[in-house]
Amino acid sequence: MTDSNQNKIIIAIDGYSSCGKSTIAKEIAKKLNYIFIDSGAMYRAVTLYCLRAGVVVNGEINLPVLQESLKKIRITFVFNPLTAHNDVCLNGENVEQEIRQLAVAQNVSQIAAIAAVRQLLVAQQQEMGRSKGIVMDGRDIGTVVFPSAELKIFMTADARIRAQRRYDEMIAKNEPVDFDEILKNINERDRFDETREESPLRKAADAIVLDNSHMTRDEQFEWILSKVEERVF
Ligand code: CDP
């Protein structure tokens, strides 16, 4: 570890879908000059590959073909100066926008439940955190990827509030969406993520809960920053 990394920590943010984990994680990383990694984007990129390559057809996964496909998938991040965000790339192609589509959201939890997929991505995520100074959000960051993270946050919010936020986000992007379909997807993914065998979504014993149903972004930001300060100074 270099001198500049001596005071740096790992911040793990886990929680339910559409809680705003990535938004707040990105703001915190910017403030601290840390790297931000959206681990969900990596699972979404693998899912996009599978949809394009015909590995998933009508929700059915062809496991042998998936195993073969994993050898051909390279996930990287590229800094986007326009959004100040690390965009995810699939074999060199920036797919940050495409992975947010509903078709990907509808298949990602099944793909993310497969052990071989998780092994591949978790190893990459752990490598990214070797020098600390990282904020990573996902489902298993505090439990599996970085069990020794200095700060673990478990985010949650009322499902209807989360669906409304995702709905507003998609409407703002002019995407045709149906509120009930989004709510259904959120509830289904949460249930799937919590009950899967491989690294299910769980609050780590030492994680602090942040229910942001009725909190502004500024309030969440200050709350997390105060927890960081308790650990760093
Ligand atoms: O943005 P949202 O919270 O809706 O989801 P995401 O963070 O993009 O993650 C998409 C899906 O990937 C989740 O529903 C999980 O099934 C899976 N995932 C996971 O299994 N483990 C992670 N560390 C991150 C995401």
Side-chain angles (χ1 to χ4, degrees), residues 13-22 38-44 47 99-100 104-105 107-113 118 122 125 136-141 145 162 166 169 185-186 189-190 192-193 196 198-199 201:
I13 305 185
D14 289 304
Y16 293 99
S17 54
S18 311
C19 270
K21 296 184 297 292
S22 298
D38 170 2
S39 71
M42 299 171 76
Y43 289 94
R44 285 173 180 263
T47 304
I99 59 162
R100 307 291 159 196
V104 173
N107 289 280
V108 63
S109 286
Q110 278 116 295
I111 297 287
R118 303 205 72 82
V122 167
Q125 291 154 5
M136 193 177 287
D137 81 302
R139 303 293 187 286
D140 60 340
I141 311 304
V145 180
R162 289 188 275 136
R166 186 52 57 104
E169 207 176 276
N185 176 254
I186 283 181
R189 269 197 296 141
D190 286 347
F192 206 99
D193 292 348
R196 71 184 176 207
E198 288 293 328
S199 314
L201 169 64

Side-chain angles (χ1 to χ4, degrees), residues 46-221:
V46 171
T47 304
L48 179 63
Y49 182 97
C50 292
L51 288 170
R52 284 177 175 177
V55 176
V56 192
V57 179
N58 296 330
E60 293 293 317
I61 300 166
N62 186 329
L63 268 181
V65 180
L66 173 67
Q67 298 274 8
E68 269 309 299
S69 299
L70 288 180
K71 295 179 196 153
K72 299 181 213 146
I73 299 178
R74 200 169 46 89
I75 308 287
T76 49
F77 286 90
V78 61
F79 184 73
N80 180 340
L82 288 178
T83 55
H85 178 78
N86 286 317
D87 286 353
V88 71
C89 297
L90 172 60
N91 294 336
E93 175 193 351
N94 188 325
V95 291
E96 186 63 37
Q97 294 302 319
E98 209 171 337
I99 59 162
R100 307 291 159 196
Q101 290 170 356
L102 200 57
V104 173
Q106 281 166 339
N107 289 280
V108 63
S109 286
Q110 278 116 295
I111 297 287
I114 296 166
V117 173
R118 303 205 72 82
Q119 276 158 19
L120 180 80
L121 298 188
V122 167
Q124 276 192 28
Q125 291 154 5
Q126 289 173 333
E127 187 56 37
M128 291 173 196
R130 267 164 62 98
S131 309
K132 302 212 173 190
I134 191 165
V135 186
M136 193 177 287
D137 81 302
R139 303 293 187 286
D140 60 340
I141 311 304
T143 50
V144 175
V145 180
F146 299 126
S148 314
E150 288 82 358
L151 176 59
K152 298 182 188 176
I153 292 163
F154 190 85
M155 275 176 75
T156 181
D158 178 82
R160 290 192 76 84
I161 293 177
R162 289 188 275 136
Q164 186 66 49
R165 289 177 185 157
R166 186 52 57 104
Y167 177 84
D168 293 344
E169 207 176 276
M170 293 178 96
I171 289 290
K173 287 190 206 160
N174 281 327
E175 287 180 32
V177 278
D178 176 61
F179 177 82
D180 290 335
E181 203 175 353
I182 293 184
L183 181 62
K184 185 167 165 259
N185 176 254
I186 283 181
N187 283 327
E188 280 174 359
R189 269 197 296 141
D190 286 347
R191 202 170 42 244
F192 206 99
D193 292 348
E194 279 181 315
T195 55
R196 71 184 176 207
E197 265 178 44
E198 288 293 328
S199 314
L201 169 64
R202 292 253 187 290
K203 178 187 140 344
D206 52 348
I208 332 171
V209 176
L210 172 62
D211 181 335
N212 68 11
S213 303
H214 304 289
M215 282 171 94
T216 64
R217 263 164 71 170
D218 282 352
E219 285 167 345
Q220 295 172 56
F221 180 80

